[in-house]
Amino acid sequence: MSANESKNPTHIAREALKRLAIRHLPPTPANFQVCYNEIAGLPDIPPFPDRPLRQLADGLVPRNEGQKKEVDALLQAITRRSWQGVTDALNGFVRAGSERSLGEAAVPAVPLTVLPVDFAGSLGRVIDGLRPFFGSDSPRAVTLADELVALLRQPAVEASLARGVLDQLLCHVRSAVEEQLEIRESLLKLLHLIIENIGQLSIDDQWLKGQIDGLLACVTPPLTLRHLDEMERRMRDVLDKQGCARARSVEAQQEMRSMLTTFIDSLAAMSQSSSTFEACIEETARQLESVTSPEELRPLLSGVMAATHAMAEESAHSREQLQSLRQRVETTEAELIQLHKELDNASAQARHDPLTDALNRKGLDEALLREMSSMRRKAAALTVSMLDIDNFKRLNDSLGHEAGDGALIHLANVARRHIRPSDTLARYGGEEFVILMPDTTLDEGVEVITRLQRELTKAIYLSGNERVLITFSAGVAQVGLDEGSGDALRRADQAMYLAKRAGKNRVFGG
């Protein structure tokens, strides 16, 4: 390395990154600074902690004029990044709290701020209720929570003291939450990688494709309990179907092996019969050489006739067996082909539409019953909306069915981005979709679907190089407490029909 290169900051930074990789150190600013200083020959002085020191200064509560001056001096020392000034200011703050200079007039102490009893009690109950969420990975946070709860239960709680403990608790909790978020993100990435590798290793098992796609969708953020619950039901349904088909496939393969064994035994028997018949003919031919009279010829001919008759019967029986075996093989082969088709389509026969990944009719029926049960149990509102893409037939006729499928996928993706995690999207059939909106009144539902119309207008659909504006007409209906599962859908469908008649790209309530 030349002298110029050794002083080049860019080159030093590049070498510092290489050293981080060689030492397997995470590329944090602190680690990078250490490696940079080593290469540049600079002293490894830790950075001045401006922010923590300012937080410390803000937390100091001056009780007299002397302490106020020391706090000002501390802030100035932090600005100058002077460790000596920080040390002197902190020592002066402590001295000013315990003694007064001669001749200094007495300064009345700053009155203590005491938390209201009701507020302290409520805060204590909140902290106590949050303790289980701190987890065993942060024992210091649990200890601080216990200290804060005990402090808040005292008759008179000084606000500054409670604030100090609360600040420490929040610092630990924030650190623990950030760590858990990083762990979750790393686990999701690892799970994603495992699932993708399973899919690549199972190229010949096409029946796995639906499961792999579903699992990848399941572990894609944002994660919701409703999403995971639906995915579990979906996967269980797929696994049941595939398990039954797999078991029958194994049985059929065993039958094929059994029939193949029978076929081989039949061939062996035919071979043995042919050998016996051939030996009989050869022996008869040898004996014919020594025949001198018709009387001696007669038994030889009878033997040949009997052997030929037996051979013919054996051949006919073997031919019937082979014909039956062939029919059984063809039947089993056709069944295996059908079973493989069932395995390939098992995922598509679950609760989701294979094109848009929205719920299908079966999934919608189950979701509607579940939401209606929850609505009645909580006495909450539930609203359904029926959406129909405008001029869908014209789109198919002009751009082709592939463009029409793309429009359906586009609408489903836009809808998923702009509805709540608690809402449910389903493909009702053709170009019709249904959205279930729990805890939503009729007016709120109309507002949600109208907002979705605006978002869809902004998200232009590209079919090849052609920009296509996709719109929909919608009907919205609130489910009655005593209403059947299909009644609200019929009212939403009627309102959608009126929206179509009124000029399309409208939302009507029903």
Side-chain angles (χ1 to χ4, degrees), residues 76-248:
Q76 293 174 8
I78 294 172
T79 302
R80 298 194 310 270
R81 297 194 168 192
S82 169
W83 278 112
Q84 186 61 45
V86 170
T87 303
D88 294 342
L90 290 176
N91 289 332
F93 182 87
V94 173
R95 287 194 302 271
S98 57
E99 55 184 39
R100 276 198 313 269
S101 301
L102 292 175
E104 181 183 359
V107 178
V110 177
L112 297 178
T113 302
V114 178
L115 292 178
V117 177
D118 293 342
F119 176 78
S122 299
L123 182 58
R125 286 189 293 271
V126 169
I127 300 299
D128 194 36
L130 290 176
R131 284 182 72 261
F133 296 98
F134 297 153
S136 58
D137 294 335
S138 183
R140 179 55 180 163
V142 176
T143 301
L144 288 171
D146 291 339
E147 292 179 4
L148 184 57
V149 170
L151 179 64
L152 292 171
R153 287 175 179 170
Q154 294 179 4
V157 182
E158 185 181 348
S160 60
L161 184 58
R163 177 186 172 184
V165 181
L166 182 59
D167 286 343
Q168 294 182 56
L169 175 61
L170 290 177
C171 182
H172 283 277
V173 170
R174 188 183 300 111
S175 176
V177 169
E178 290 175 354
E179 183 179 4
Q180 289 301 317
L181 288 175
E182 291 179 2
I183 291 174
R184 189 186 75 161
E185 184 178 355
S186 298
L187 288 176
L188 284 177
K189 288 180 180 178
L190 179 61
L191 186 56
H192 236 281
L193 183 61
I194 292 173
I195 295 172
E196 288 177 349
N197 286 339
I198 291 175
Q200 293 174 1
L201 293 173
S202 306
I203 296 176
D204 295 333
D205 293 328
Q206 294 298 321
W207 60 274
L208 272 175
K209 185 178 185 304
Q211 288 178 306
I212 297 298
D213 293 343
L215 286 173
L216 287 174
C218 177
V219 299
T220 300
L223 300 179
T224 64
L225 291 177
R226 182 183 295 270
H227 188 190
L228 294 175
D229 183 56
E230 179 58 37
M231 183 56 60
E232 180 183 359
R233 284 194 296 271
R234 173 183 180 180
M235 296 308 300
R236 287 186 183 278
D237 185 63
V238 171
L239 289 173
D240 289 343
K241 284 183 170 60
Q242 291 175 346
C244 294
R246 271 290 192 188
R248 183 65 193 100

Side-chain angles (χ1 to χ4, degrees), residues 24 41 97 118 181 194 223 329 340 385 453:
H24 302 289
D118 293 342
L181 288 175
I194 292 173
L223 300 179
V329 168
H340 281 297
S385 176
Q453 277 187 329

Side-chain angles (χ1 to χ4, degrees), residues 461-492:
Y461 166 56
L462 285 176
S463 177
N465 295 326
E466 186 167 351
R467 294 164 62 89
V468 182
L469 177 63
I470 305 295
T471 64
F472 65 80
S473 301
V476 182
Q478 184 172 339
V479 182
L481 289 175
D482 299 325
E483 199 169 23
S485 59
D487 296 335
L489 284 176
R490 281 190 289 272
R491 289 193 290 110

Side-chain angles (χ1 to χ4, degrees), residues 4 66 95 228 251 256 383 508:
N4 291 334
R95 287 194 302 271
L228 294 175
E251 291 177 4
M256 290 283 285
T383 297
F508 279 15

Side-chain angles (χ1 to χ4, degrees), residues 2 4 29 44 150 206 235 261 280 310 332 374 384 419 445 476:
S2 66
N4 291 334
D44 188 18
Q206 294 298 321
M235 296 308 300
T261 302
C280 179
T332 304
S374 175
V384 300
I419 61 177
V476 182

Side-chain angles (χ1 to χ4, degrees), residues 348-363:
Q349 295 171 357
R351 295 173 175 81
H352 282 67
D353 171 52
L355 178 65
T356 63
D357 200 38
L359 291 180
N360 57 19
R361 290 288 291 274
K362 178 182 179 182

